[in-house]
Amino acid sequence: MGLDLRGIKIAIIGGDKRHIYLMPELIKLGATVTAVGFLPCPELEQVRLVEKVESALQDAQVLIFPMQGTDQAGNIRTYDQDVKLCFTPAMAAAIPHGALVIIGSARDFIKEWATKYCWKLLEIAEMDTIAILNAIPSAEGAIQLAMEKLPITIHGSNSFVLGFGRLGKTLARMLRGIGANTTVVARKRADLARIFEIGYRPVHCSQLHQVIAEADVIFNSVPALILDEKMLSLMRKDTLIIDLAASPGGTDFGAAKKLGINAVLAPGLPGIAAPKTSGRILAQVIPQLILREIPQDYF
Amino acid sequence: MGLDLRGIKIAIIGGDKRHIYLMPELIKLGATVTAVGFLPCPELEQVRLVEKVESALQDAQVLIFPMQGTDQAGNIRTYDQDVKLCFTPAMAAAIPHGALVIIGSARDFIKEWATKYCWKLLEIAEMDTIAILNAIPSAEGAIQLAMEKLPITIHGSNSFVLGFGRLGKTLARMLRGIGANTTVVARKRADLARIFEIGYRPVHCSQLHQVIAEADVIFNSVPALILDEKMLSLMRKDTLIIDLAASPGGTDFGAAKKLGINAVLAPGLPGIAAPKTSGRILAQVIPQLILREIPQDYF
Amino acid sequence: MGLDLRGIKIAIIGGDKRHIYLMPELIKLGATVTAVGFLPCPELEQVRLVEKVESALQDAQVLIFPMQGTDQAGNIRTYDQDVKLCFTPAMAAAIPHGALVIIGSARDFIKEWATKYCWKLLEIAEMDTIAILNAIPSAEGAIQLAMEKLPITIHGSNSFVLGFGRLGKTLARMLRGIGANTTVVARKRADLARIFEIGYRPVHCSQLHQVIAEADVIFNSVPALILDEKMLSLMRKDTLIIDLAASPGGTDFGAAKKLGINAVLAPGLPGIAAPKTSGRILAQVIPQLILREIPQDYF
Amino acid sequence: MGLDLRGIKIAIIGGDKRHIYLMPELIKLGATVTAVGFLPCPELEQVRLVEKVESALQDAQVLIFPMQGTDQAGNIRTYDQDVKLCFTPAMAAAIPHGALVIIGSARDFIKEWATKYCWKLLEIAEMDTIAILNAIPSAEGAIQLAMEKLPITIHGSNSFVLGFGRLGKTLARMLRGIGANTTVVARKRADLARIFEIGYRPVHCSQLHQVIAEADVIFNSVPALILDEKMLSLMRKDTLIIDLAASPGGTDFGAAKKLGINAVLAPGLPGIAAPKTSGRILAQVIPQLILREIPQDYF
């Protein structure tokens, strides 16, 4: 669509398969891309692959970190698992002032560094556009998982979706598209009205206990302990739980195990189930963010 | 669902066909209902129909005014068009202190009286639950109108929906359900991501002028002058406009006429197209509002 | 698609609004078109409009009669209602031998003339392609009628479709697309399996009497007396019947009237509800038929 | 629904997981069930499990063989893979005259024995009801396979379905339900009209070569060599082929391999992907067949 990244220097600091698809797109738009933590492959032919993170940081106007961010110790996921990367104070000090730092979500220490060193820090995992688009591969990954684990078809099954946010909306639509009897559980009256309008069965979360025994499969997208021991005890033993809420999920997994209920924690599916689509989503959104955040006179 | 209105005295002050369906539902839940502005009919057998508004106000704990509210002069729509009702200062003074006054939307002078006379004033037309449910009859009314006025089928037509709010969402779903090529025009990036996910063609409002000539029919739900003279001049002459935004709508009707484009202003369709469904929506929501707003010790 | 009708002489003998849309399409493909029974209008600028049917027949290689055919007396529907046309033995004798005669459906006397005078007679109303495409405007017309006559919305209504043939399939899809609880009644086990797979409620016709009281609206597409007095007596008084089967339909209209049930006979809706779409359907199919049926050396 | 199999003796001769779900259903309806080739498990508690096929045949009124039938040598698939079963002439001779023999599809030698020994032979794999219902687990299995093998989501992908029969119809519906751009390739004009009406892109098989390069994934349901070397050479290398037609499928797998195209032959998915649903389908249809085929005076 005529986005122009010519002259912009971008550093990719770790990442996963999605970034293999993202980098060629950035190059197509004119950017110069340096990456650390990747192995050479045909897709990355025009990327400058470096071994030391310092070579990547130098001159970079934009730095792209993984969607998962780092762990508490600062470790950064790399595609080439032989390369160990860590977001150290030294690395932070080496990032140019004024740089745009794009990351899925940032721990507190990264936020502090951003203030200290005057980066523009963008946490994108929860940005609406990305989160809504990422709901597509997440939902498909969840459905694939359910298909693998269920002895029955999704078609004709009683599928429950807990939560009617970005992921819940997409999941419910796909489940019904396949032919499931779709129940959506929500808390807000307005959501329940919309759920009714779309044609799913609306259930207020306060009534869930009355109908949960009907469920063949439950997809949870709410980051709160909804499926606690008491609720689990009302379920059938052959109901499958797929918990998509951010770790630790919304299920008492210990109680589920004791009760013999199969519960799977599966957050962060987009990068795994459909890395190419997920990479394209990043490639669709990130250039716009860069152009919006980097002042024109920079070039 | 076990709602209990026993002992509650409700006055219906004017209204339309929807209220014919609402009143028996209130009575079923145990309420005592008095109404002014209606003719006797089988549905209203158990309603106390009075001629003078004062007899209705007396003792009333809940007063229900029309969804349209009043005009600036205070005139109240009545089902029996021979009865003229006006919300006068005298009527205001006769409403019991502490009463719950339910109205679609209230003019400023009504709001002032509410403060002065200590009523609980509830404007319900814009309440999310009612507005979302009302989108259903509104959307169907709009589609019926389009079917009547178009020489082509909705199926296979290029249908544009302007706005992705409560009405736009429902309209788009129904249009696609019939088989239209559905384009949805919105301003927010998050809405456009959702529109893409659902499978409509997303168009940012800043790009509308580039594609508007493709439209066979345009449904506008945005209360802003989007279809101005310039935009109209880019349209085909045989495109139909159905403007559902609150009066004066989002169309320059004068310009449309000059250009020979058929544009219809059709706000407030729910009560007309499907009064029974609309009445049921009121009957579903109003009892809950009453129970929430009237303190228990009142009884 | 590169269809070429150059050099072919076509006569349009009566018809309706659909033919106003058909004729320019035939001309675009290169045909020479003569018509009788129409008034001058911008769409027909390049059509030779004649007053006497004889002038139209002369030299015609292809003759197109109305979709409704004629009545038993041979009367032909005309768009210009001041022109009276009748398919007389004299007219039959004036049609060139070897001509292609296209008609919706032909009475027996027309079939006999076809044999006697060596025309190629094509009855197209029941041709699968046309009938399936015509189901689209027919279904929309039926839904429009239901919207006009029902006090409730299609959304959330209990809509019954009798028959799962060309029209029933399209109707059921649209009704569900709008949000109806859709029940489809069929006789064949394979159809019921498909109805289940699609997600409608399947009901075998032998079980209809058990559930018919649930229906808010019934669309009949079966040309057999299904809604007889006994079945009608099991229905609610406020159920609407829209009978789309070829006259006399599948309803005992007398009994319905006695019982106070609103039953509407509405066959042949495509030409009325969406003449432009219906005209396009003819314009899409008829040129292919002509090229298939007229030997190449004819030109 | 009140089907009554009391007093009927049924023998299950081999089979797969589906039969584990089928047998308890037959017992619930009153039948006496003997099975060979299965291991004891809670579901089969009330089944008489025997080791020798002769003990199963004795007195059996109904014999149920696997859906796959036998191979050319007569080998019968067994759930307990340690048990080897073979449909020998001796076994054939031991089947009671007049017995009902139900099998997916029967080799010629079985048909000859049926005539010779006066069995009623029912081949059910191609029976419409079973084949349409089996299309559901087959389609889901195919979609699961595609999800596993594709780096992109089904949503937004260009998905092609070859064939619009029992399986193609279900596949197309589910693919679109997930959000794929769905193209359906068919040969009959009437099918193409229906494909258009439903809203998929219709492509006549003679035009497939013009658009095949657009496909991200192709699901073939036509048992004819459509994807031959020439067609494959027009495809992109990253297109996935899932061939669901009965072995040997509709793909030149050798040519695909040479061209570097990933093609998977996956017929007979229902029993694998969703054995419980598939077992329920058998349990829904087989009792009806038994009651229809076994004369009442038999009991």
Side-chain angles (χ1 to χ4, degrees):
Chain A
M1 307 208 221
L3 293 177
D4 187 352
L5 297 182
R6 272 178 299 180
I8 300 192
K9 290 171 188 145
I10 301 177
I12 309 290
I13 314 297
D16 54 34
K17 214 164 175 182
R18 287 176 277 195
H19 297 84
I20 307 275
Y21 293 105
L22 168 64
M23 289 186 256
E25 299 295 324
L26 297 173
I27 287 167
K28 252 193 241 163
L29 297 177
T32 306
V33 178
T34 305
V36 61
F38 291 84
L39 288 165
C41 64
E43 286 88 351
L44 302 185
E45 253 177 15
Q46 301 186 52
V47 173
R48 190 168 69 102
L49 296 175
V50 298
E51 278 182 32
K52 295 196 172 274
V53 72
E54 290 74 21
S55 338
L57 299 184
Q58 214 175 334
D59 298 333
Q61 296 159 313
V62 180
L63 294 97
I64 299 177
F65 286 86
M67 290 299 283
Q68 302 89 334
T70 66
D71 64 14
Q72 193 55 45
N75 291 306
I76 295 167
R77 185 177 172 165
T78 52
Y79 187 71
D80 176 1
Q81 298 187 4
D82 290 343
V83 179
K84 299 294 165 204
L85 276 181
C86 188
F87 207 154
T88 58
M91 193 201 289
I95 295 175
H97 283 225
L100 174 64
V101 174
I102 295 174
I103 191 168
S105 55
R107 304 262 171 187
D108 284 344
F109 60 85
I110 297 178
K111 290 181 191 169
E112 285 159 21
W113 290 337
T115 311
K116 182 172 172 191
Y117 295 113
C118 300
W119 316 327
K120 284 180 197 144
L121 182 68
L122 272 191
E123 292 180 275
I124 63 173
E126 286 305 302
M127 279 182 51
D128 244 358
T129 315
I130 286 201
I132 290 172
L133 294 176
N134 264 342
I136 297 169
S138 291
E140 283 200 22
I143 287 171
Q144 177 187 329
L145 206 57
M147 285 176 166
E148 285 164 7
K149 295 199 174 292
L150 284 174
I152 58 170
T153 52
I154 298 291
H155 182 284
S157 73
N158 291 324
S159 293
F160 280 48
V161 176
L162 310 189
F164 197 59
R166 296 176 298 207
L167 179 53
K169 282 186 176 116
T170 301
L171 251 173
R173 184 175 345 276
M174 288 186 181
L175 288 167
R176 190 175 53 170
I178 295 172
N181 304 318
T182 309
T183 296
V184 183
V185 180
R187 198 174 42 76
K188 290 188 215 153
R189 293 279 160 203
D191 281 348
L192 292 169
R194 180 59 67 192
I195 289 162
F196 164 78
E197 184 266 317
I198 301 180
Y200 313 126
R201 179 170 69 156
V203 168
H204 190 268
C205 52
S206 68
Q207 310 298 315
L208 176 57
H209 63 282
Q210 293 182 357
V211 292
I212 199 158
E214 299 170 17
D216 292 311
V217 55
I218 299 173
F219 298 89
N220 175 50
S221 70
V222 182
L225 190 60
I226 294 187
L227 299 174
D228 58 13
E229 187 160 5
K230 201 173 153 194
M231 193 66 83
L232 290 166
S233 70
L234 299 169
M235 288 170 48
R236 299 200 322 259
K237 302 289 167 260
D238 64 343
T239 302
L240 172 68
I241 297 172
I242 295 191
D243 198 328
L244 303 152
S247 186
T251 308
D252 181 336
F253 286 93
K257 203 172 174 184
K258 252 193 306 182
L259 288 162
I261 293 174
N262 191 0
V264 187
L265 181 62
L269 286 168
I272 300 159
K276 193 166 179 177
T277 297
S278 305
R280 277 183 194 159
I281 290 170
L282 296 181
Q284 185 178 338
V285 178
I286 285 179
Q288 293 181 20
L289 296 176
I290 292 173
L291 289 173
R292 199 179 71 192
E293 297 295 335
I294 295 198
Q296 296 298 331
D297 56 13
Y298 202 112
F299 301 85
Chain B
M1 308 208 220
L3 293 177
D4 187 352
L5 298 182
R6 272 177 298 179
I8 299 191
K9 290 173 189 146
I10 302 177
I12 310 290
I13 314 297
D16 53 35
K17 215 164 174 181
R18 285 176 278 194
H19 297 84
I20 307 275
Y21 294 105
L22 168 64
M23 288 186 257
E25 299 293 325
L26 297 173
I27 287 167
K28 251 192 243 163
L29 297 177
T32 307
V33 179
T34 306
V36 62
F38 292 86
L39 288 165
C41 64
E43 286 88 351
L44 302 185
E45 252 177 16
Q46 302 188 51
V47 173
R48 190 169 68 103
L49 296 174
V50 297
E51 278 183 31
K52 295 199 173 272
V53 73
E54 290 76 20
S55 337
L57 300 183
Q58 214 176 333
D59 298 331
Q61 296 160 311
V62 180
L63 294 98
I64 299 177
F65 286 86
M67 289 301 283
Q68 302 89 334
T70 68
D71 65 13
Q72 193 56 45
N75 292 305
I76 296 168
R77 185 176 172 165
T78 52
Y79 187 71
D80 175 1
Q81 298 186 4
D82 289 343
V83 178
K84 299 294 165 204
L85 276 181
C86 189
F87 207 154
T88 58
M91 194 200 289
I95 294 176
H97 283 226
L100 175 63
V101 174
I102 295 175
I103 190 168
S105 55
R107 305 262 171 187
D108 284 344
F109 61 85
I110 297 178
K111 291 182 189 168
E112 286 159 20
W113 289 338
T115 310
K116 185 173 170 191
Y117 295 113
C118 300
W119 315 326
K120 283 180 198 145
L121 181 68
L122 272 191
E123 294 178 274
I124 62 172
E126 286 304 304
M127 277 182 48
D128 245 357
T129 315
I130 286 201
I132 290 172
L133 294 176
N134 264 341
I136 297 168
S138 291
E140 282 199 21
I143 287 172
Q144 177 187 331
L145 206 57
M147 284 176 167
E148 284 163 8
K149 294 197 175 292
L150 284 174
I152 59 171
T153 51
I154 299 290
H155 182 283
S157 73
N158 291 324
S159 292
F160 280 48
V161 176
L162 310 188
F164 197 60
R166 294 175 298 206
L167 179 52
K169 282 186 176 117
T170 302
L171 251 173
R173 185 174 347 274
M174 287 185 181
L175 288 166
R176 191 174 52 169
I178 296 171
N181 303 318
T182 310
T183 296
V184 182
V185 180
R187 198 174 42 75
K188 290 188 217 153
R189 292 281 159 204
D191 281 348
L192 292 168
R194 180 59 66 192
I195 289 162
F196 163 78
E197 183 266 316
I198 301 180
Y200 313 126
R201 179 170 70 155
V203 169
H204 190 267
C205 52
S206 67
Q207 310 298 314
L208 176 57
H209 63 281
Q210 293 183 358
V211 292
I212 200 160
E214 300 170 17
D216 293 311
V217 55
I218 298 174
F219 298 88
N220 176 49
S221 69
V222 182
L225 191 60
I226 293 187
L227 299 175
D228 58 13
E229 186 159 8
K230 201 172 153 194
M231 192 65 84
L232 289 166
S233 71
L234 298 169
M235 286 170 50
R236 300 200 321 260
K237 303 288 168 261
D238 64 343
T239 302
L240 172 67
I241 297 171
I242 296 192
D243 199 329
L244 303 152
S247 185
T251 308
D252 182 337
F253 286 93
K257 203 173 174 183
K258 252 193 306 185
L259 288 161
I261 293 172
N262 192 0
V264 187
L265 182 61
L269 286 168
I272 300 159
K276 193 166 180 179
T277 297
S278 305
R280 278 183 193 158
I281 291 170
L282 297 181
Q284 185 179 338
V285 178
I286 286 179
Q288 295 181 19
L289 295 176
I290 292 174
L291 289 174
R292 200 179 69 194
E293 298 295 335
I294 295 199
Q296 297 298 334
D297 55 13
Y298 202 111
F299 302 85
Chain C
M1 309 207 219
L3 293 178
D4 187 353
L5 298 182
R6 273 178 298 183
I8 300 191
K9 290 173 189 146
I10 302 176
I12 310 290
I13 314 296
D16 53 36
K17 215 165 175 182
R18 286 176 278 194
H19 297 85
I20 308 275
Y21 294 104
L22 168 64
M23 287 186 257
E25 299 295 325
L26 297 173
I27 287 168
K28 251 193 242 162
L29 297 177
T32 308
V33 179
T34 306
V36 61
F38 292 85
L39 288 165
C41 66
E43 286 88 351
L44 301 185
E45 253 177 15
Q46 302 187 52
V47 173
R48 190 169 68 103
L49 295 174
V50 297
E51 277 183 33
K52 295 200 173 271
V53 73
E54 290 74 20
S55 338
L57 300 184
Q58 215 176 334
D59 296 333
Q61 296 160 311
V62 180
L63 294 99
I64 300 177
F65 286 86
M67 289 301 282
Q68 302 88 334
T70 66
D71 64 13
Q72 193 56 45
N75 292 306
I76 295 169
R77 185 176 173 167
T78 53
Y79 187 71
D80 175 1
Q81 298 185 4
D82 289 344
V83 178
K84 300 292 167 208
L85 276 181
C86 188
F87 207 154
T88 58
M91 193 199 289
I95 294 176
H97 282 225
L100 175 63
V101 173
I102 295 175
I103 191 167
S105 55
R107 304 261 170 189
D108 284 343
F109 61 85
I110 297 178
K111 292 182 191 168
E112 285 159 20
W113 289 338
T115 310
K116 182 171 172 191
Y117 295 113
C118 300
W119 316 326
K120 284 178 197 145
L121 181 68
L122 273 191
E123 292 179 276
I124 63 173
E126 286 304 304
M127 277 182 50
D128 244 358
T129 316
I130 286 201
I132 290 172
L133 294 175
N134 264 343
I136 298 169
S138 291
E140 283 201 21
I143 287 172
Q144 177 186 331
L145 205 58
M147 285 175 167
E148 285 163 8
K149 297 202 172 290
L150 284 174
I152 58 170
T153 51
I154 299 290
H155 182 284
S157 73
N158 292 325
S159 293
F160 281 47
V161 176
L162 310 189
F164 197 59
R166 294 174 300 204
L167 179 52
K169 282 185 176 118
T170 301
L171 251 173
R173 187 176 341 278
M174 288 186 179
L175 289 167
R176 189 173 56 170
I178 295 171
N181 303 319
T182 310
T183 296
V184 182
V185 180
R187 200 173 40 78
K188 289 188 216 153
R189 293 280 159 203
D191 280 349
L192 292 168
R194 179 60 66 193
I195 290 162
F196 164 78
E197 183 267 315
I198 300 180
Y200 313 125
R201 180 171 67 157
V203 169
H204 190 268
C205 52
S206 67
Q207 309 298 314
L208 176 56
H209 63 282
Q210 293 183 356
V211 293
I212 200 159
E214 300 170 16
D216 293 311
V217 55
I218 298 173
F219 298 89
N220 176 49
S221 69
V222 181
L225 191 60
I226 294 188
L227 300 174
D228 57 13
E229 187 158 6
K230 201 172 154 195
M231 192 66 84
L232 290 165
S233 71
L234 298 170
M235 287 171 49
R236 300 199 321 261
K237 301 288 167 264
D238 64 343
T239 302
L240 173 67
I241 296 171
I242 296 191
D243 198 328
L244 302 152
S247 186
T251 309
D252 182 336
F253 286 92
K257 204 173 174 183
K258 253 193 303 183
L259 288 161
I261 293 173
N262 192 0
V264 188
L265 181 62
L269 286 167
I272 299 158
K276 193 166 179 177
T277 297
S278 305
R280 278 183 194 158
I281 291 170
L282 296 182
Q284 185 178 337
V285 178
I286 286 179
Q288 294 181 21
L289 295 177
I290 293 174
L291 289 174
R292 201 180 67 194
E293 297 295 335
I294 295 200
Q296 297 298 333
D297 55 12
Y298 202 110
F299 301 86
Chain D
M1 306 208 219
L3 293 178
D4 188 352
L5 298 183
R6 272 178 299 179
I8 300 192
K9 289 173 191 147
I10 301 178
I12 310 290
I13 314 296
D16 54 36
K17 215 165 176 183
R18 286 176 277 194
H19 297 84
I20 307 276
Y21 293 104
L22 168 63
M23 287 186 257
E25 299 295 325
L26 296 173
I27 287 168
K28 251 193 242 162
L29 297 177
T32 307
V33 178
T34 306
V36 61
F38 292 85
L39 288 165
C41 66
E43 286 88 350
L44 302 186
E45 253 176 16
Q46 302 187 52
V47 173
R48 189 170 69 104
L49 296 175
V50 297
E51 277 182 34
K52 295 198 174 272
V53 73
E54 289 75 19
S55 339
L57 300 184
Q58 213 175 334
D59 295 333
Q61 295 159 313
V62 180
L63 294 98
I64 300 179
F65 286 86
M67 290 300 283
Q68 302 90 335
T70 67
D71 64 13
Q72 193 55 46
N75 292 306
I76 295 168
R77 185 175 173 169
T78 52
Y79 187 71
D80 176 1
Q81 298 186 3
D82 289 343
V83 178
K84 300 292 168 207
L85 276 182
C86 188
F87 207 152
T88 57
M91 194 199 290
I95 295 175
H97 282 227
L100 176 63
V101 173
I102 296 176
I103 191 168
S105 55
R107 304 261 171 187
D108 284 344
F109 61 85
I110 297 177
K111 291 182 191 168
E112 285 160 21
W113 289 337
T115 311
K116 183 171 171 192
Y117 295 112
C118 300
W119 316 327
K120 283 180 199 144
L121 182 67
L122 272 191
E123 293 179 275
I124 63 173
E126 286 304 304
M127 277 183 49
D128 244 358
T129 316
I130 286 202
I132 291 172
L133 294 176
N134 264 342
I136 296 168
S138 291
E140 283 201 21
I143 287 172
Q144 176 187 330
L145 205 58
M147 285 176 166
E148 285 164 6
K149 296 199 173 291
L150 284 173
I152 59 171
T153 51
I154 298 290
H155 182 284
S157 73
N158 291 324
S159 293
F160 280 47
V161 176
L162 311 189
F164 197 58
R166 296 176 297 205
L167 179 52
K169 281 185 176 120
T170 301
L171 251 173
R173 184 173 349 273
M174 287 186 180
L175 288 167
R176 191 174 55 170
I178 296 171
N181 304 317
T182 310
T183 296
V184 183
V185 180
R187 198 173 43 77
K188 290 188 217 153
R189 292 281 158 203
D191 280 348
L192 293 168
R194 179 60 66 192
I195 290 162
F196 163 78
E197 183 267 316
I198 300 181
Y200 313 125
R201 179 170 69 156
V203 169
H204 190 267
C205 52
S206 68
Q207 309 298 315
L208 176 57
H209 63 282
Q210 293 182 358
V211 293
I212 199 160
E214 299 171 17
D216 292 312
V217 56
I218 298 173
F219 297 89
N220 176 49
S221 70
V222 181
L225 191 61
I226 294 188
L227 299 175
D228 58 13
E229 185 159 8
K230 200 170 156 197
M231 193 64 85
L232 290 166
S233 71
L234 298 169
M235 288 170 49
R236 300 199 322 259
K237 302 286 167 265
D238 65 343
T239 302
L240 173 67
I241 297 171
I242 296 191
D243 199 328
L244 302 152
S247 184
T251 309
D252 182 336
F253 286 93
K257 202 171 176 185
K258 253 194 304 185
L259 288 161
I261 293 173
N262 192 0
V264 188
L265 181 62
L269 286 167
I272 300 159
K276 194 167 179 176
T277 298
S278 304
R280 279 183 193 157
I281 292 170
L282 296 182
Q284 186 178 336
V285 178
I286 285 179
Q288 294 182 20
L289 295 177
I290 292 173
L291 288 174
R292 200 180 68 195
E293 297 295 334
I294 294 201
Q296 297 298 333
D297 55 13
Y298 202 111
F299 302 86

